[in-house]
Amino acid sequence: MKAVVVGGGIIGLCSAWYLREAGWDVELVDRSDLHDNCSYGNLGMVVPSHFVPLATPGIVAQGIKWMFDAKSPFYVKPTPSWRLINWGLKFINSAKADKVDYAAPFLRDINLLSRSLYEGWKRDALFDFSFEQKGIMMYFKEEKTAEEEYHLAEKARAMGLDAVSLNKAEAQAIETGTRLDVLGAVHYRCDGHLYPNQLMPALIASLKKKGAQFRLGHAVSKVHRNGKKLLSVDAGPENIPGDLFVFAAGSWLPELTSKAGVKISLMPGKGYSFTVENPAVKLDIPAILCEARVAITPMAGRMRYGGTMELATTQETVNMQRVRGIVESIPKYFPDNTLAMPSQQEVWYGFRPCSPDGLPYIGTAKGTDNLVIAGGHAMMGLSLGPATGKLVAEIASGETTSVNVAAFRADRF
Ligand SMILES: Cc1cc2nc3c(=O)[nH]c(=O)nc-3n(C[C@H](O)[C@H](O)[C@H](O)COP(=O)(O)OP(=O)(O)OC[C@H]3O[C@@H](n4cnc5c(N)ncnc54)[C@H](O)[C@@H]3O)c2cc1C
């Protein structure tokens, strides 16, 4: 039986990995040469701590305020598009306390599954991807944020996650890499981090060794379907038949699924990062700067800084004002870490695939028997890659899934 996986980001590669493990012949199709996509320049955090989805109460009002600040971490490109309006209405409807509470255990469980799969890859020494489990530190400077973060940490502990609330001195005793100027922190010891630029090529090489076929350089332009069954896809001059199809096209998922007559609500959320190869200041533990919405990860000797969310644009340009916002926020929390502005060429950008409720889509597409959708992981795709791949393989084989996937149904909107 042959599975055709479209999209070779972390989600497509992990789907291919577990399908191969389950005995499927696998052919992976990507329009690029797989040397870059959203899964490379991200911050590499593996985050059971992120049990709260993107759509939360209060985020809409905060987002509107941010839109008027050029250096802010959030921006929506005003576009007269029905797709954006429709997504926005679904987002507002999802940003409610009861929906966030409903999502939390699903996100916790899939994240814990994924972390344990990464642990397994490391334990089995399949390849090196610099996976470390030192947790992540959520730093804050303001009383209001402290209250929110300590409350969230309590909730995390109640859900069985290892989270420690710290004052400044306690945080400083743990982060010995640099001087802190913060009010306090929460140390999510349940989290980990890795170096995505090492993981991605290692996964591709390992998949090739396992016998997966790669067909690169041509976008899927047409999907052939007969009733509930997908028959084949066209990519460049080739027609590729399969028994099972997995669509994992990141931010381009709606365009791809529409070729099969399937609607998926999703918006790209552009983010930036830059990496300092020989940093003067090295953090020991990855950090999230809560008020600034900036993330920092030490990666095998280098430091990566990133953030911002520009919604609804797939423009291949770099907004240096937003990068400046990231650079200027760092010394506010780490006074000895004053960074030079990177040049435009040094800035990486990627498009997070954002579903309106902040939950991934993992499941069979509406009205089809053999199309599995895997996408919409927004800020957690790297973290959730292995679990998503495993769940895709389980769904494809009709097995009971390792965790409950009811909240991730592809036909929920
Ligand atoms: C600044 C930033 C920081 C981040 N930090 C983290 C983090 O710390 N932890 C975390 O878990 N996540 C993080 N993320 C999110 C994470 O990077 C994404 O969720 C993840 O990479 C999405 O993976 P994907 O496989 O769905 O999409 P992608 O990696 O974008 O891959 C999609 C692939 O599909 C291919 N494709 C699209 N259309 C077609 C077509 N028609 N035919 C053939 N191929 C097609 C594309 O070429 C591409 O290779 C971050 C993102 C950003 C931007």
Side-chain angles (χ1 to χ4, degrees), residues 192-226:
H193 69 283
L194 55 82
Y195 185 26
N197 304 63
Q198 201 177 10
L199 171 70
M200 293 292 288
L203 252 180
I204 293 167
S206 171
L207 266 167
K208 284 183 178 163
K209 243 196 248 165
K210 277 171 162 292
Q213 302 295 310
F214 284 74
R215 200 178 288 264
L216 305 180
H218 292 293
V220 165
S221 53
K222 195 163 183 189
V223 177
H224 299 273
R225 179 177 168 168
N226 184 8

PDB file of all heavy atoms in Angstrom, residues 192-226:
ATOM      1  N   GLY A 192      11.455  21.113  26.404  1.00  0.00           N
ATOM      2  CA  GLY A 192      12.792  20.831  25.889  1.00  0.00           C
ATOM      3  C   GLY A 192      13.086  21.729  24.696  1.00  0.00           C
ATOM      4  O   GLY A 192      12.275  22.578  24.328  1.00  0.00           O
ATOM      5  N   HIS A 193      14.255  21.546  24.112  1.00  0.00           N
ATOM      6  CA  HIS A 193      14.555  22.282  22.881  1.00  0.00           C
ATOM      7  C   HIS A 193      15.542  21.500  22.028  1.00  0.00           C
ATOM      8  O   HIS A 193      16.222  20.587  22.512  1.00  0.00           O
ATOM      9  CB  HIS A 193      15.098  23.681  23.186  1.00  0.00           C
ATOM     10  CG  HIS A 193      16.466  23.715  23.797  1.00  0.00           C
ATOM     11  ND1 HIS A 193      16.712  23.420  25.120  1.00  0.00           N
ATOM     12  CD2 HIS A 193      17.668  24.008  23.252  1.00  0.00           C
ATOM     13  CE1 HIS A 193      17.999  23.539  25.367  1.00  0.00           C
ATOM     14  NE2 HIS A 193      18.615  23.895  24.251  1.00  0.00           N
ATOM     15  N   LEU A 194      15.579  21.868  20.763  1.00  0.00           N
ATOM     16  CA  LEU A 194      16.460  21.171  19.814  1.00  0.00           C
ATOM     17  C   LEU A 194      16.882  22.156  18.727  1.00  0.00           C
ATOM     18  O   LEU A 194      16.422  23.302  18.685  1.00  0.00           O
ATOM     19  CB  LEU A 194      15.742  19.947  19.235  1.00  0.00           C
ATOM     20  CG  LEU A 194      14.390  20.166  18.556  1.00  0.00           C
ATOM     21  CD1 LEU A 194      14.533  20.631  17.120  1.00  0.00           C
ATOM     22  CD2 LEU A 194      13.578  18.888  18.576  1.00  0.00           C
ATOM     23  N   TYR A 195      17.752  21.675  17.833  1.00  0.00           N
ATOM     24  CA  TYR A 195      18.269  22.531  16.757  1.00  0.00           C
ATOM     25  C   TYR A 195      17.597  22.087  15.457  1.00  0.00           C
ATOM     26  O   TYR A 195      17.992  21.088  14.852  1.00  0.00           O
ATOM     27  CB  TYR A 195      19.789  22.368  16.703  1.00  0.00           C
ATOM     28  CG  TYR A 195      20.488  23.277  15.725  1.00  0.00           C
ATOM     29  CD1 TYR A 195      19.955  24.496  15.340  1.00  0.00           C
ATOM     30  CD2 TYR A 195      21.724  22.924  15.194  1.00  0.00           C
ATOM     31  CE1 TYR A 195      20.608  25.327  14.447  1.00  0.00           C
ATOM     32  CE2 TYR A 195      22.399  23.748  14.305  1.00  0.00           C
ATOM     33  CZ  TYR A 195      21.821  24.946  13.936  1.00  0.00           C
ATOM     34  OH  TYR A 195      22.485  25.772  13.051  1.00  0.00           O
ATOM     35  N   PRO A 196      16.568  22.829  14.999  1.00  0.00           N
ATOM     36  CA  PRO A 196      15.790  22.374  13.840  1.00  0.00           C
ATOM     37  C   PRO A 196      16.633  22.198  12.574  1.00  0.00           C
ATOM     38  O   PRO A 196      16.376  21.294  11.781  1.00  0.00           O
ATOM     39  CB  PRO A 196      14.754  23.475  13.624  1.00  0.00           C
ATOM     40  CG  PRO A 196      14.807  24.360  14.800  1.00  0.00           C
ATOM     41  CD  PRO A 196      16.058  24.100  15.555  1.00  0.00           C
ATOM     42  N   ASN A 197      17.635  23.066  12.385  1.00  0.00           N
ATOM     43  CA  ASN A 197      18.456  22.966  11.161  1.00  0.00           C
ATOM     44  C   ASN A 197      19.309  21.701  11.144  1.00  0.00           C
ATOM     45  O   ASN A 197      19.868  21.333  10.118  1.00  0.00           O
ATOM     46  CB  ASN A 197      19.380  24.180  11.034  1.00  0.00           C
ATOM     47  CG  ASN A 197      18.606  25.477  11.063  1.00  0.00           C
ATOM     48  OD1 ASN A 197      17.966  25.768  12.071  1.00  0.00           O
ATOM     49  ND2 ASN A 197      18.611  26.233   9.992  1.00  0.00           N
ATOM     50  N   GLN A 198      19.428  21.067  12.294  1.00  0.00           N
ATOM     51  CA  GLN A 198      20.123  19.777  12.363  1.00  0.00           C
ATOM     52  C   GLN A 198      19.107  18.638  12.233  1.00  0.00           C
ATOM     53  O   GLN A 198      19.373  17.635  11.568  1.00  0.00           O
ATOM     54  CB  GLN A 198      20.821  19.690  13.728  1.00  0.00           C
ATOM     55  CG  GLN A 198      21.941  18.715  13.827  1.00  0.00           C
ATOM     56  CD  GLN A 198      22.587  18.773  15.215  1.00  0.00           C
ATOM     57  OE1 GLN A 198      22.072  19.425  16.145  1.00  0.00           O
ATOM     58  NE2 GLN A 198      23.698  18.097  15.363  1.00  0.00           N
ATOM     59  N   LEU A 199      17.933  18.844  12.831  1.00  0.00           N
ATOM     60  CA  LEU A 199      16.902  17.803  12.803  1.00  0.00           C
ATOM     61  C   LEU A 199      16.380  17.547  11.389  1.00  0.00           C
ATOM     62  O   LEU A 199      16.255  16.390  10.959  1.00  0.00           O
ATOM     63  CB  LEU A 199      15.727  18.227  13.705  1.00  0.00           C
ATOM     64  CG  LEU A 199      14.481  17.347  13.629  1.00  0.00           C
ATOM     65  CD1 LEU A 199      14.737  15.981  14.256  1.00  0.00           C
ATOM     66  CD2 LEU A 199      13.284  18.012  14.302  1.00  0.00           C
ATOM     67  N   MET A 200      16.080  18.621  10.654  1.00  0.00           N
ATOM     68  CA  MET A 200      15.404  18.457   9.361  1.00  0.00           C
ATOM     69  C   MET A 200      16.234  17.640   8.359  1.00  0.00           C
ATOM     70  O   MET A 200      15.746  16.639   7.828  1.00  0.00           O
ATOM     71  CB  MET A 200      14.998  19.825   8.793  1.00  0.00           C
ATOM     72  CG  MET A 200      13.923  20.538   9.597  1.00  0.00           C
ATOM     73  SD  MET A 200      12.315  19.714   9.505  1.00  0.00           S
ATOM     74  CE  MET A 200      11.834  20.105   7.836  1.00  0.00           C
ATOM     75  N   PRO A 201      17.504  18.019   8.095  1.00  0.00           N
ATOM     76  CA  PRO A 201      18.286  17.191   7.152  1.00  0.00           C
ATOM     77  C   PRO A 201      18.518  15.773   7.667  1.00  0.00           C
ATOM     78  O   PRO A 201      18.540  14.819   6.868  1.00  0.00           O
ATOM     79  CB  PRO A 201      19.627  17.930   7.018  1.00  0.00           C
ATOM     80  CG  PRO A 201      19.547  19.141   7.854  1.00  0.00           C
ATOM     81  CD  PRO A 201      18.235  19.218   8.524  1.00  0.00           C
ATOM     82  N   ALA A 202      18.632  15.630   8.989  1.00  0.00           N
ATOM     83  CA  ALA A 202      18.846  14.288   9.554  1.00  0.00           C
ATOM     84  C   ALA A 202      17.610  13.415   9.314  1.00  0.00           C
ATOM     85  O   ALA A 202      17.715  12.229   8.967  1.00  0.00           O
ATOM     86  CB  ALA A 202      19.147  14.380  11.043  1.00  0.00           C
ATOM     87  N   LEU A 203      16.432  14.018   9.462  1.00  0.00           N
ATOM     88  CA  LEU A 203      15.181  13.279   9.232  1.00  0.00           C
ATOM     89  C   LEU A 203      15.065  12.865   7.770  1.00  0.00           C
ATOM     90  O   LEU A 203      14.673  11.735   7.458  1.00  0.00           O
ATOM     91  CB  LEU A 203      13.999  14.175   9.582  1.00  0.00           C
ATOM     92  CG  LEU A 203      13.193  13.881  10.835  1.00  0.00           C
ATOM     93  CD1 LEU A 203      12.073  14.882  10.992  1.00  0.00           C
ATOM     94  CD2 LEU A 203      12.639  12.457  10.824  1.00  0.00           C
ATOM     95  N   ILE A 204      15.416  13.803   6.868  1.00  0.00           N
ATOM     96  CA  ILE A 204      15.328  13.513   5.426  1.00  0.00           C
ATOM     97  C   ILE A 204      16.272  12.361   5.078  1.00  0.00           C
ATOM     98  O   ILE A 204      15.876  11.384   4.412  1.00  0.00           O
ATOM     99  CB  ILE A 204      15.666  14.780   4.595  1.00  0.00           C
ATOM    100  CG1 ILE A 204      14.587  15.843   4.801  1.00  0.00           C
ATOM    101  CG2 ILE A 204      15.810  14.443   3.113  1.00  0.00           C
ATOM    102  CD1 ILE A 204      14.935  17.235   4.299  1.00  0.00           C
ATOM    103  N   ALA A 205      17.516  12.446   5.584  1.00  0.00           N
ATOM    104  CA  ALA A 205      18.510  11.397   5.287  1.00  0.00           C
ATOM    105  C   ALA A 205      18.037  10.060   5.831  1.00  0.00           C
ATOM    106  O   ALA A 205      18.139   9.014   5.167  1.00  0.00           O
ATOM    107  CB  ALA A 205      19.858  11.788   5.880  1.00  0.00           C
ATOM    108  N   SER A 206      17.490  10.105   7.034  1.00  0.00           N
ATOM    109  CA  SER A 206      17.060   8.873   7.677  1.00  0.00           C
ATOM    110  C   SER A 206      15.857   8.250   6.937  1.00  0.00           C
ATOM    111  O   SER A 206      15.753   7.019   6.792  1.00  0.00           O
ATOM    112  CB  SER A 206      16.721   9.208   9.126  1.00  0.00           C
ATOM    113  OG  SER A 206      16.131   8.159   9.743  1.00  0.00           O
ATOM    114  N   LEU A 207      14.968   9.122   6.444  1.00  0.00           N
ATOM    115  CA  LEU A 207      13.815   8.632   5.676  1.00  0.00           C
ATOM    116  C   LEU A 207      14.268   7.980   4.371  1.00  0.00           C
ATOM    117  O   LEU A 207      13.718   6.948   3.960  1.00  0.00           O
ATOM    118  CB  LEU A 207      12.891   9.807   5.347  1.00  0.00           C
ATOM    119  CG  LEU A 207      11.751  10.055   6.320  1.00  0.00           C
ATOM    120  CD1 LEU A 207      11.112  11.411   6.069  1.00  0.00           C
ATOM    121  CD2 LEU A 207      10.690   8.960   6.199  1.00  0.00           C
ATOM    122  N   LYS A 208      15.273   8.594   3.739  1.00  0.00           N
ATOM    123  CA  LYS A 208      15.790   8.018   2.477  1.00  0.00           C
ATOM    124  C   LYS A 208      16.360   6.635   2.764  1.00  0.00           C
ATOM    125  O   LYS A 208      16.152   5.692   2.001  1.00  0.00           O
ATOM    126  CB  LYS A 208      16.856   8.936   1.879  1.00  0.00           C
ATOM    127  CG  LYS A 208      16.254  10.165   1.224  1.00  0.00           C
ATOM    128  CD  LYS A 208      17.295  11.046   0.562  1.00  0.00           C
ATOM    129  CE  LYS A 208      16.619  12.228  -0.121  1.00  0.00           C
ATOM    130  NZ  LYS A 208      17.540  13.317  -0.446  1.00  0.00           N
ATOM    131  N   LYS A 209      17.083   6.528   3.900  1.00  0.00           N
ATOM    132  CA  LYS A 209      17.660   5.231   4.268  1.00  0.00           C
ATOM    133  C   LYS A 209      16.576   4.193   4.512  1.00  0.00           C
ATOM    134  O   LYS A 209      16.725   3.021   4.219  1.00  0.00           O
ATOM    135  CB  LYS A 209      18.481   5.401   5.564  1.00  0.00           C
ATOM    136  CG  LYS A 209      19.967   5.110   5.366  1.00  0.00           C
ATOM    137  CD  LYS A 209      20.639   4.899   6.682  1.00  0.00           C
ATOM    138  CE  LYS A 209      21.594   6.043   6.971  1.00  0.00           C
ATOM    139  NZ  LYS A 209      22.009   6.092   8.361  1.00  0.00           N
ATOM    140  N   LYS A 210      15.450   4.653   5.036  1.00  0.00           N
ATOM    141  CA  LYS A 210      14.322   3.739   5.306  1.00  0.00           C
ATOM    142  C   LYS A 210      13.563   3.380   4.032  1.00  0.00           C
ATOM    143  O   LYS A 210      12.562   2.676   4.084  1.00  0.00           O
ATOM    144  CB  LYS A 210      13.323   4.407   6.250  1.00  0.00           C
ATOM    145  CG  LYS A 210      13.652   4.324   7.726  1.00  0.00           C
ATOM    146  CD  LYS A 210      12.671   5.231   8.474  1.00  0.00           C
ATOM    147  CE  LYS A 210      12.565   4.954   9.950  1.00  0.00           C
ATOM    148  NZ  LYS A 210      11.955   3.706  10.333  1.00  0.00           N
ATOM    149  N   GLY A 211      13.946   4.002   2.906  1.00  0.00           N
ATOM    150  CA  GLY A 211      13.323   3.626   1.633  1.00  0.00           C
ATOM    151  C   GLY A 211      12.222   4.543   1.156  1.00  0.00           C
ATOM    152  O   GLY A 211      11.545   4.229   0.168  1.00  0.00           O
ATOM    153  N   ALA A 212      12.007   5.691   1.826  1.00  0.00           N
ATOM    154  CA  ALA A 212      10.995   6.638   1.339  1.00  0.00           C
ATOM    155  C   ALA A 212      11.513   7.296   0.064  1.00  0.00           C
ATOM    156  O   ALA A 212      12.702   7.579  -0.054  1.00  0.00           O
ATOM    157  CB  ALA A 212      10.711   7.695   2.399  1.00  0.00           C
ATOM    158  N   GLN A 213      10.604   7.533  -0.893  1.00  0.00           N
ATOM    159  CA  GLN A 213      10.976   8.203  -2.144  1.00  0.00           C
ATOM    160  C   GLN A 213      10.658   9.690  -2.026  1.00  0.00           C
ATOM    161  O   GLN A 213       9.639  10.059  -1.437  1.00  0.00           O
ATOM    162  CB  GLN A 213      10.151   7.633  -3.315  1.00  0.00           C
ATOM    163  CG  GLN A 213      10.307   6.140  -3.529  1.00  0.00           C
ATOM    164  CD  GLN A 213      11.723   5.785  -3.949  1.00  0.00           C
ATOM    165  OE1 GLN A 213      12.268   6.394  -4.865  1.00  0.00           O
ATOM    166  NE2 GLN A 213      12.331   4.809  -3.260  1.00  0.00           N
ATOM    167  N   PHE A 214      11.512  10.534  -2.586  1.00  0.00           N
ATOM    168  CA  PHE A 214      11.281  11.981  -2.575  1.00  0.00           C
ATOM    169  C   PHE A 214      11.107  12.475  -4.002  1.00  0.00           C
ATOM    170  O   PHE A 214      11.902  12.144  -4.866  1.00  0.00           O
ATOM    171  CB  PHE A 214      12.454  12.716  -1.918  1.00  0.00           C
ATOM    172  CG  PHE A 214      12.451  12.607  -0.419  1.00  0.00           C
ATOM    173  CD1 PHE A 214      12.805  11.415   0.213  1.00  0.00           C
ATOM    174  CD2 PHE A 214      12.088  13.689   0.359  1.00  0.00           C
ATOM    175  CE1 PHE A 214      12.775  11.306   1.598  1.00  0.00           C
ATOM    176  CE2 PHE A 214      12.060  13.590   1.750  1.00  0.00           C
ATOM    177  CZ  PHE A 214      12.406  12.399   2.371  1.00  0.00           C
ATOM    178  N   ARG A 215      10.067  13.255  -4.221  1.00  0.00           N
ATOM    179  CA  ARG A 215       9.871  13.873  -5.536  1.00  0.00           C
ATOM    180  C   ARG A 215       9.791  15.393  -5.301  1.00  0.00           C
ATOM    181  O   ARG A 215       8.786  15.910  -4.818  1.00  0.00           O
ATOM    182  CB  ARG A 215       8.575  13.359  -6.166  1.00  0.00           C
ATOM    183  CG  ARG A 215       8.553  13.547  -7.666  1.00  0.00           C
ATOM    184  CD  ARG A 215       7.280  12.991  -8.221  1.00  0.00           C
ATOM    185  NE  ARG A 215       7.240  11.534  -8.201  1.00  0.00           N
ATOM    186  CZ  ARG A 215       7.569  10.765  -9.235  1.00  0.00           C
ATOM    187  NH1 ARG A 215       7.996  11.316 -10.338  1.00  0.00           N
ATOM    188  NH2 ARG A 215       7.477   9.457  -9.157  1.00  0.00           N
ATOM    189  N   LEU A 216      10.903  16.070  -5.593  1.00  0.00           N
ATOM    190  CA  LEU A 216      11.029  17.477  -5.199  1.00  0.00           C
ATOM    191  C   LEU A 216      11.020  18.403  -6.411  1.00  0.00           C
ATOM    192  O   LEU A 216      11.300  17.981  -7.534  1.00  0.00           O
ATOM    193  CB  LEU A 216      12.328  17.673  -4.405  1.00  0.00           C
ATOM    194  CG  LEU A 216      12.492  16.767  -3.185  1.00  0.00           C
ATOM    195  CD1 LEU A 216      13.807  17.056  -2.470  1.00  0.00           C
ATOM    196  CD2 LEU A 216      11.324  16.918  -2.215  1.00  0.00           C
ATOM    197  N   GLY A 217      10.711  19.684  -6.137  1.00  0.00           N
ATOM    198  CA  GLY A 217      10.849  20.709  -7.171  1.00  0.00           C
ATOM    199  C   GLY A 217       9.578  20.990  -7.963  1.00  0.00           C
ATOM    200  O   GLY A 217       9.582  21.855  -8.823  1.00  0.00           O
ATOM    201  N   HIS A 218       8.495  20.282  -7.665  1.00  0.00           N
ATOM    202  CA  HIS A 218       7.236  20.546  -8.375  1.00  0.00           C
ATOM    203  C   HIS A 218       6.075  20.600  -7.391  1.00  0.00           C
ATOM    204  O   HIS A 218       5.913  19.681  -6.585  1.00  0.00           O
ATOM    205  CB  HIS A 218       6.946  19.449  -9.403  1.00  0.00           C
ATOM    206  CG  HIS A 218       7.912  19.452 -10.552  1.00  0.00           C
ATOM    207  ND1 HIS A 218       7.968  20.475 -11.458  1.00  0.00           N
ATOM    208  CD2 HIS A 218       8.852  18.552 -10.925  1.00  0.00           C
ATOM    209  CE1 HIS A 218       8.904  20.215 -12.347  1.00  0.00           C
ATOM    210  NE2 HIS A 218       9.461  19.050 -12.048  1.00  0.00           N
ATOM    211  N   ALA A 219       5.285  21.662  -7.493  1.00  0.00           N
ATOM    212  CA  ALA A 219       4.101  21.768  -6.623  1.00  0.00           C
ATOM    213  C   ALA A 219       3.021  20.812  -7.103  1.00  0.00           C
ATOM    214  O   ALA A 219       2.924  20.536  -8.309  1.00  0.00           O
ATOM    215  CB  ALA A 219       3.569  23.193  -6.670  1.00  0.00           C
ATOM    216  N   VAL A 220       2.233  20.333  -6.184  1.00  0.00           N
ATOM    217  CA  VAL A 220       1.038  19.579  -6.596  1.00  0.00           C
ATOM    218  C   VAL A 220       0.055  20.580  -7.193  1.00  0.00           C
ATOM    219  O   VAL A 220      -0.339  21.544  -6.534  1.00  0.00           O
ATOM    220  CB  VAL A 220       0.426  18.825  -5.392  1.00  0.00           C
ATOM    221  CG1 VAL A 220      -0.988  18.362  -5.709  1.00  0.00           C
ATOM    222  CG2 VAL A 220       1.305  17.651  -5.018  1.00  0.00           C
ATOM    223  N   SER A 221      -0.304  20.359  -8.439  1.00  0.00           N
ATOM    224  CA  SER A 221      -1.138  21.342  -9.144  1.00  0.00           C
ATOM    225  C   SER A 221      -2.556  20.822  -9.372  1.00  0.00           C
ATOM    226  O   SER A 221      -3.468  21.587  -9.644  1.00  0.00           O
ATOM    227  CB  SER A 221      -0.499  21.682 -10.493  1.00  0.00           C
ATOM    228  OG  SER A 221      -0.247  20.484 -11.201  1.00  0.00           O
ATOM    229  N   LYS A 222      -2.720  19.505  -9.263  1.00  0.00           N
ATOM    230  CA  LYS A 222      -4.051  18.935  -9.515  1.00  0.00           C
ATOM    231  C   LYS A 222      -4.235  17.676  -8.667  1.00  0.00           C
ATOM    232  O   LYS A 222      -3.255  16.939  -8.451  1.00  0.00           O
ATOM    233  CB  LYS A 222      -4.163  18.589 -11.000  1.00  0.00           C
ATOM    234  CG  LYS A 222      -5.559  18.350 -11.450  1.00  0.00           C
ATOM    235  CD  LYS A 222      -5.702  18.406 -12.955  1.00  0.00           C
ATOM    236  CE  LYS A 222      -7.172  18.223 -13.274  1.00  0.00           C
ATOM    237  NZ  LYS A 222      -7.426  18.055 -14.658  1.00  0.00           N
ATOM    238  N   VAL A 223      -5.470  17.476  -8.218  1.00  0.00           N
ATOM    239  CA  VAL A 223      -5.785  16.274  -7.441  1.00  0.00           C
ATOM    240  C   VAL A 223      -6.875  15.514  -8.196  1.00  0.00           C
ATOM    241  O   VAL A 223      -7.893  16.113  -8.571  1.00  0.00           O
ATOM    242  CB  VAL A 223      -6.279  16.649  -6.025  1.00  0.00           C
ATOM    243  CG1 VAL A 223      -6.683  15.402  -5.240  1.00  0.00           C
ATOM    244  CG2 VAL A 223      -5.202  17.422  -5.263  1.00  0.00           C
ATOM    245  N   HIS A 224      -6.669  14.238  -8.434  1.00  0.00           N
ATOM    246  CA  HIS A 224      -7.676  13.429  -9.138  1.00  0.00           C
ATOM    247  C   HIS A 224      -8.465  12.630  -8.097  1.00  0.00           C
ATOM    248  O   HIS A 224      -7.871  11.930  -7.276  1.00  0.00           O
ATOM    249  CB  HIS A 224      -6.996  12.483 -10.130  1.00  0.00           C
ATOM    250  CG  HIS A 224      -6.225  13.220 -11.177  1.00  0.00           C
ATOM    251  ND1 HIS A 224      -6.802  13.669 -12.345  1.00  0.00           N
ATOM    252  CD2 HIS A 224      -4.929  13.630 -11.208  1.00  0.00           C
ATOM    253  CE1 HIS A 224      -5.898  14.303 -13.064  1.00  0.00           C
ATOM    254  NE2 HIS A 224      -4.743  14.297 -12.402  1.00  0.00           N
ATOM    255  N   ARG A 225      -9.768  12.745  -8.177  1.00  0.00           N
ATOM    256  CA  ARG A 225     -10.633  12.159  -7.156  1.00  0.00           C
ATOM    257  C   ARG A 225     -11.818  11.482  -7.812  1.00  0.00           C
ATOM    258  O   ARG A 225     -12.359  11.982  -8.803  1.00  0.00           O
ATOM    259  CB  ARG A 225     -11.099  13.318  -6.256  1.00  0.00           C
ATOM    260  CG  ARG A 225     -12.022  12.930  -5.165  1.00  0.00           C
ATOM    261  CD  ARG A 225     -12.365  14.119  -4.277  1.00  0.00           C
ATOM    262  NE  ARG A 225     -13.469  13.718  -3.440  1.00  0.00           N
ATOM    263  CZ  ARG A 225     -13.916  14.374  -2.383  1.00  0.00           C
ATOM    264  NH1 ARG A 225     -13.362  15.518  -2.046  1.00  0.00           N
ATOM    265  NH2 ARG A 225     -14.924  13.914  -1.686  1.00  0.00           N
ATOM    266  N   ASN A 226     -12.213  10.353  -7.260  1.00  0.00           N
ATOM    267  CA  ASN A 226     -13.420   9.682  -7.735  1.00  0.00           C
ATOM    268  C   ASN A 226     -14.299   9.420  -6.517  1.00  0.00           C
ATOM    269  O   ASN A 226     -13.980   8.558  -5.690  1.00  0.00           O
ATOM    270  CB  ASN A 226     -13.040   8.368  -8.438  1.00  0.00           C
ATOM    271  CG  ASN A 226     -14.268   7.692  -9.026  1.00  0.00           C
ATOM    272  OD1 ASN A 226     -15.356   8.272  -9.033  1.00  0.00           O
ATOM    273  ND2 ASN A 226     -14.099   6.459  -9.495  1.00  0.00           N
TER     274      ASN A 226
END
